[in-house]
Each structure stands twice: as structure tokens, then as C-alpha cells.
Amino acid sequence: MPATYDPATPISHWDSGMWSRVLAASGTLNPFTDDPFTEAMLAGLGGGIGFMIFTFEYKDITTASVVTRFHPGPYVENLLARSGASVAIAQTSSAKLARARLDAALETGVPAVVRVVRGQLPWVAEDPLADMDSLDIAVVARDGETYLVDDGGGHLERISAVALAAARGSRKADKYWQAHVEPGVGTVLTREVLRESIAQTADALLATSAPPGIPPGYSKNFGIAGMRSWARWLADTSSKRGWARVFGDPDRAAAGLGMLHGQLAGRRFSGPGALRPLYADFLQEVGATAYGGSGVETSTLDDAAVQYRQLAAHWDDLTALVGAAGEPDFVPMANAVEVIADLEAEAARTLQKS
């Protein structure tokens, strides 16, 4: 295992945390500190925090999905482009070519990142709902006919070339996708890039229209407007959109709320405090490094950081309500989301001033 790659470093969110490990192993440095990028900085460059809520009714189950990071925008693409890392991205339909590319990348001594269906990894149980989305994992090294990979379990897993190819080729949209950090520099990280990142976060949270690429009718599912929609649906006991009816069946409620709680409490779609503490770390790091630790901009960023740290407790309390045992009580959930939406709006308006 390369000495510079540590699969056990604490992280708040998988994508930003995994890429902080990969960029550190590649020698990519933050130009403001000349140190490896922190997870917080990469998370902020990715677009930081956000919100999305959806329910879908199927024949045998009703799902509930939530994302609390910047979404559906290009989170990983943002953090890579803005960091200044030179990253080569390739995709092919050929398993043979994909393996050759992976081996060539690993020969440089820098981990590569590939996309897999997680349930197809030999040590993971299949989950049809979770496996609808691909997961990026780091391939750290090749050892004969096996590879050492980091999938977020806190240690490196060994996987055969055949099994890795099967996991990489299981989803057509991401079939044999690979990213690898190469020598050189991409877009240089500047104060303006940081301002652009913060503005994107604030604008997405406060938007009243749907995100790019999303049909206009779904605008009510995103950002702070999405939080307010969710509060209404939680409190609604009569219409077909109300969660009292959507999850009126106990089995559907158990499955839907269980899925929702897993996403809020996990690190794939969310993270501790809905990732608000991580974003607060980003804001304070920007103020202390790029802005020199003083001035109006730094003060505004510090104010916003305080607001997001306070929001974390509200999000954690909501996560506990969603995951509470027994029949779901949507009234306290609705009240909690209403409070969160108001506080989120205040914090986002502070961001807009920075």
C-alpha cells in the first residue's frame, strides 16, 4: 500500500473524503497553504451543501430519497476542476481496454478512481435501491491479479481483476469509467474561483426554479423551496401528496422512512449534521487562508459558518425523528423542517453577502 494513501482518515462525506485521499497521494496541493487539500475545501469547491427530496411509489414499495449536498449539479467535476488538479477521465465499453488503462494509471504510483455498482463488490450485499446509483471507489494499487481498493470501509479491500471488471461494467451509464490524476496543473485555484463556488451554493439553495437539466415542475423538490415543500407534505393529512397518505401503509412507511434515515445518517448522500459542519469548516478555511484571516469578507464567512454549525444540531435532531422506532409521527418532523428551512434561508442570505 502506498505510504501516502490512508484509507482510515476520518471523513464526513464519501466523495469529498475519498478525493482528498487521492489528491493527497498524487501530490496535489492547495496553493493557498502548500498543503494537501482538506476534505472541507474540496467539499466547498464541489458546491458544498444543498437539498433534494423525492418520493416514488412502486407496486410493492414507496421510496423516499434525500440528498443534503450540492445536487444535482456536477459535484465531483466541480471539485476536480476548481482544485487545479490535472485529471484525465476516460470511459470505454471494452473490459480489456479498461483494465489496460487502469494498470497504466497505477504504474505511475497514483491511485485511480473507478465507478462501480457497490452491490456487485464481493464483500457487499446487493441493495437494489442503493445500487441504482454508481459509487466511485479508489483503486490504490495492483498486486498480481488482484487490486487493493478503498470503498469507504476504513481499510483496503482486495478484489480480483474479474470481480472488479464485473462491478465496473454493471451499469451502462458509468461502464468502465476511470479518473486519474496526472502531472501538471489544471485551472489554478484563486479567490475568484472560491467566490464562484460559494455563490453557486447560495444560489442553488435560494433558487425558486428547477436546477439545470431538471423539468420545471420539480423545482419544489430542491433547495430551501424543497425543504418548505417537505414540511407541507409532512403536515398534510388529507391530500395525496401528504406523507400521512403516501406512507399510510405500515410496510411502506417502514421501508420509506428506513431508506430516508439511512441516507440522512450515512455519508454517501449526506453526512454528520447534513454536512453543514463540513461546510462551516470550508468557509472558515477560506477566510483564514485565501482572505488572510481579516476583513469584511472573512467576517461574513465566519458569520455564515456559525449559522451552519448551529444548523447541524437541528439536522441531527430531524434525522433522529425520522429514524425513531414505531409508527412515524410526521407532525414533529414537519415542525423541525420548518425551523430548518427558516434558518437555512438566513444562512444562505449571509453567504450571498460574502
Side-chain angles (χ1 to χ4, degrees):
M1 179 179 67
T4 53
Y5 193 94
D6 183 359
T9 52
I11 61 174
S12 294
H13 179 64
W14 173 241
D15 284 325
S16 53
M18 184 267 297
W19 273 107
S20 70
R21 295 169 180 172
V22 171
L23 291 185
S26 76
T28 304
L29 302 179
N30 182 337
F32 290 107
T33 63
D34 287 330
D35 290 320
F37 278 96
T38 64
E39 181 194 3
M41 179 58 71
L42 292 179
L45 292 175
I49 51 175
F51 182 77
M52 182 205 79
I53 185 78
F54 271 99
T55 61
F56 291 102
E57 185 175 351
Y58 299 98
K59 180 180 178 181
D60 299 317
I61 192 173
T62 300
T63 63
S65 300
V66 66
V67 178
T68 66
R69 77 172 194 189
F70 177 68
H71 184 79
Y75 183 90
V76 170
E77 291 81 355
N78 277 350
L79 74 84
L80 292 178
R82 291 168 174 167
S83 71
S86 178
V87 180
I89 296 177
Q91 191 167 5
T92 177
S93 60
S94 167
K96 182 178 180 180
L97 178 56
R99 182 177 180 183
R101 284 176 175 170
L102 177 59
D103 289 346
L106 294 176
E107 285 177 2
T108 69
V110 176
V113 176
V114 300
R115 287 189 174 152
V116 301
V117 172
R118 190 166 188 270
Q120 295 299 309
L121 297 174
W123 54 89
V124 178
E126 290 188 43
D127 183 337
L129 294 176
D131 290 343
M132 291 174 67
D133 295 307
S134 298
L135 176 74
D136 289 1
I137 64 172
V139 184
V140 178
R142 178 182 171 181
D143 184 11
E145 292 300 303
T146 65
Y147 296 87
L148 299 177
V149 303
D150 179 12
D151 75 331
H155 59 274
L156 295 184
E157 296 278 2
R158 185 178 296 275
I159 186 171
S160 71
V162 172
L164 180 58
R168 295 183 65 191
S170 294
R171 186 168 183 264
K172 185 177 181 180
D174 300 316
K175 193 171 187 177
Y176 303 127
W177 181 97
Q178 174 182 306
H180 183 250
V181 183
E182 298 182 324
V185 178
T187 303
V188 177
L189 179 60
T190 63
R191 285 189 182 185
E192 188 54 40
V193 170
L194 291 168
R195 291 190 184 98
E196 173 189 323
S197 303
I198 294 169
Q200 183 179 47
T201 302
D203 291 347
L205 284 166
L206 292 167
T208 55
S209 57
I214 300 297
Y218 292 117
S219 62
K220 59 185 176 296
N221 294 84
F222 293 89
I224 294 165
M227 298 176 201
R228 299 198 190 282
S229 295
W230 188 22
R232 289 194 300 272
W233 298 331
L234 286 165
D236 184 350
T237 60
S238 57
S239 79
K240 65 180 181 180
R241 293 301 303 270
W243 278 34
R245 291 185 61 180
V246 171
F247 293 109
D249 177 79
D251 291 337
R252 289 180 181 270
L257 273 292
M259 178 179 177
L260 192 72
H261 179 261
Q263 291 173 341
L264 283 170
R267 285 172 165 78
R268 184 170 177 183
F269 301 99
S270 185
L275 299 175
R276 273 54 186 172
L278 183 66
Y279 195 65
D281 289 344
F282 162 70
L283 296 176
Q284 291 192 301
E285 184 176 342
V286 170
T289 59
Y291 296 159
S294 61
V296 174
E297 287 177 302
T298 296
S299 178
T300 303
L301 293 175
D302 286 343
D303 290 344
V306 169
Q307 290 173 291
Y308 283 116
R309 292 197 193 284
Q310 293 171 342
L311 266 160
H314 291 277
W315 278 106
D316 286 339
D317 288 345
L318 174 61
T319 300
L321 288 173
V322 171
E327 183 178 348
D329 187 350
F330 295 125
V331 173
M333 293 184 208
N335 293 337
V337 176
E338 284 183 1
V339 171
I340 285 172
D342 288 341
L343 294 174
E344 288 276 359
E346 292 176 10
R349 287 193 288 268
T350 302
L351 275 188
Q352 285 187 319
K353 299 175 185 175
S354 63

